[in-house]
Amino acid sequence: MSGNLQFNKIMAAGLTAALVIVVARVGVDALYHTEPPAKPGYAVEVAEAPAGGGAAVVEVDPDWGTVLPTADVAAGEKVFGKCVSCHNVEPANANMTGPGLWGVVGRATASHPGFAYSDGMKAHAAEAPTWTYDQLYHFLANPAKWVKGTKMGFAGIKKPEERIALIAYLHSKGSTLAIPAPDPSRQPGAAPAAGTAPTQPAPKEGAVATPPSGSTAGGPLPTGPASASAAAAPAK
Ligand code: HEC
């Protein structure tokens, strides 16, 4: 008998222990089941914070004295494939749907003989008399936004590196506009004192017969430190 009693005690102890474990597990599970939903919510917020900060990065116009000598002219020729349906860029400089572009870099805006420019482009020539590197860079990003009323029906080239290569290619096609000296204020991470840049005359002496307006070669626009699209607004 006593052996049976002993057995019962052991069984009872074992069952109790098992019960405790089960109850504890259920309790723990319950805890974990309620927590996870809260965590992803926080995770999303954390992920968004750095993205917002990154968007505040300010884009500066290219430092032409640095980027042009090393630009990929062959890549620029490929990009120009988007222009050939409307533009000729050979010395004959025939007008097509668009004006001949031989020597357009540094050329007076809306000046190619025999081409009927839009009123919008003529008005633009009054504000920006020369196709400087900066002017082409902004115009080619979004023609209709940079030159209101232009009849150039082209959406634009968004990627800065593609525009730089394209401008280097155009420069190789009959342009005598000098490549400016490197400008430290346009280097990535340059001090915000970049506003002093436009007062320095562009080193293009003897380059093109571009009269006083040539001083805009350094750009009347680089003071706008915003991205290509955002910079379009203040200059107009
Ligand atoms: C659908 C035809 C078309 C395409 C494509 C096109 N253009 Fe034009 N482009 C024009 C027309 C039309 C004008 C004249 C705009 C005006 O008078 O408003 C023009 C004007 C220009 C001018 C100003 C020239 C000057 O003499 O003042 C430049 C620079 C230019 N285009 C470059 C380009 C480049 C580079 C590309 C390719 C990335 C391109 N265009 C693609 C039709 C086009």
Side-chain angles (χ1 to χ4, degrees):
M1 277 296 260
S2 70
N4 260 354
L5 199 77
Q6 195 74 2
F7 179 73
N8 282 351
K9 274 186 182 169
I10 289 168
M11 283 301 285
L15 281 173
T16 306
L19 202 73
V20 166
I21 287 168
V22 167
V23 168
R25 285 219 147 190
V26 168
V28 167
D29 277 0
L31 271 180
Y32 280 113
H33 277 302
T34 52
E35 258 187 62
K39 282 203 172 175
Y42 290 117
V44 169
E45 270 180 53
V46 171
E48 269 175 12
V57 170
V58 173
E59 190 192 321
V60 196
D61 283 344
D63 177 25
W64 299 107
T66 302
V67 299
L68 281 180
T70 57
D72 190 344
V73 175
E77 183 171 9
K78 264 194 204 143
V79 177
F80 192 75
K82 297 178 176 176
C83 325
V84 292
S85 58
C86 297
H87 288 289
N88 177 292
V89 73
E90 298 308 318
N93 227 358
N95 291 323
M96 298 167 60
T97 305
L101 293 183
W102 174 261
V104 75
V105 181
R107 191 167 84 187
T109 307
S111 68
H112 193 52
F115 189 83
Y117 290 94
S118 66
D119 288 344
M121 187 60 83
K122 287 184 205 157
H124 181 69
E127 299 166 25
T130 308
W131 282 118
T132 62
Y133 302 112
D134 284 338
Q135 277 294 328
L136 286 166
Y137 184 72
H138 288 285
F139 174 62
L140 294 173
N142 190 338
K145 188 172 178 192
W146 192 250
V147 178
K148 292 273 186 294
T150 182
K151 62 176 180 178
M152 171 156 145
F154 181 73
I157 293 167
K158 299 303 163 217
K159 288 190 184 159
E161 63 271 20
E162 286 190 5
R163 264 177 287 147
I164 289 168
L166 173 61
I167 290 166
Y169 171 71
L170 289 174
H171 185 257
S172 77
K173 291 290 184 176
S175 171
T176 52
L177 182 63
I179 295 174
D183 178 351
S185 72
R186 286 186 173 210
Q187 294 297 323
T196 54
T199 59
Q200 300 167 348
K204 61 189 286 283
E205 61 294 324
V208 188
T210 330
S213 60
S215 60
T216 58
L221 313 157
T223 40
S227 69
S229 50
K236 293 308 314 274

